[in-house]
Amino acid sequence: ELWNEEQGFYFNRRTDTGEFSQVLSPTNFYALFSRQIPRERLKRIEAYYFDPEVFYGDWMIPSVMRCHPAFQEQDYWRGRIWAPLNFLVYLALQGHNMLSMQHDLASKSKSLFLKEWLEYRHIHENYSAITGEGCDKKNSDRFYHWGALLAIIWLMECGEVPPIMN
């Protein structure tokens, strides 16, 4: 019911109005938790992930699409990267044979995790989708346990942690 054939993506529905939100976020990929998505839709979904105007970049996945005005703010939910969002998208990808997207997300999550871990030995609550930094904002807690999900994604990709979704 959330599929838009013309735009080729699943859209979030606003709970206050019932209308579809045109602001894309990682939650738009959560439809992939369903194993009943037709194969022809998967390529269209993948195109959104790899589109640099929407999500794709050195640091992934921004909490709002890159072409949205809020993205440039990089303040909390306005464009920053959150490990739980990456983790849920990664889990949703499992079972669809979208290996290039899955591997890319795992690799970028690992790079994001290691960026400040290697330099400062801490894990952030959220990170800039422009610079990959967590220390650039005071409201990004630098000892937040869920940031470790970024490393778990990579460990799952390498087979060190068993897959959750099969």
Side-chain angles (χ1 to χ4, degrees):
E1 294 177 19
L2 301 176
W3 179 254
N4 180 307
E5 183 61 37
E6 183 179 316
Q7 294 182 354
F9 205 44
Y10 289 95
F11 284 82
N12 294 319
R13 188 182 308 261
R14 293 181 50 158
T15 57
D16 59 342
T17 66
E19 296 175 4
F20 290 111
S21 173
Q22 296 300 307
V23 180
L24 302 181
S25 76
T27 61
N28 292 84
F29 292 105
Y30 293 178
L32 293 169
F33 277 112
S34 170
R35 297 299 176 240
Q36 299 177 9
I37 295 176
R39 185 114 236 15
E40 61 273 5
R41 289 185 183 176
L42 296 177
K43 282 287 183 204
R44 296 179 78 187
I45 292 168
E46 188 175 47
Y48 277 88
Y49 176 89
F50 285 111
D51 184 339
E53 293 294 315
V54 183
F55 292 112
Y56 203 70
D58 291 334
W59 308 104
M60 295 283 286
I61 301 175
S63 57
V64 67
M65 57 192 184
R66 292 178 188 276
C67 58
H68 191 277
F71 175 83
Q72 292 303 321
E73 292 178 29
Q74 289 298 301
D75 192 20
Y76 222 59
W77 287 104
R78 299 179 71 78
R80 292 183 72 80
I81 300 167
W82 294 77
L85 297 179
N86 278 23
F87 186 71
L88 289 171
V89 171
Y90 182 81
L91 292 181
L93 291 171
Q94 292 180 347
H96 283 292
N97 203 28
M98 300 175 81
L99 300 180
S100 63
M101 193 172 155
Q102 186 175 318
H103 182 73
D104 185 76
L105 179 57
S107 178
K108 288 182 183 291
S109 294
K110 174 186 143 189
S111 295
L112 186 60
F113 173 85
L114 289 175
K115 182 172 177 28
E116 288 205 3
W117 177 255
L118 293 175
E119 189 170 349
Y120 303 115
R121 294 293 192 250
H122 55 243
I123 303 166
H124 272 271
E125 174 185 21
N126 57 67
Y127 296 85
S128 169
I130 297 172
T131 66
E133 296 175 53
C135 291
D136 63 323
K137 295 287 184 179
K138 290 184 189 283
N139 63 357
S140 177
D141 193 311
R142 64 179 171 219
F143 291 105
Y144 216 84
H145 63 283
W146 71 26
L149 288 170
L150 295 168
I152 297 295
I153 294 168
W154 180 252
L155 292 172
M156 290 174 73
E157 184 70 9
C158 294
E160 298 296 325
V161 172
I164 295 172
M165 309 290 293
N166 271 338

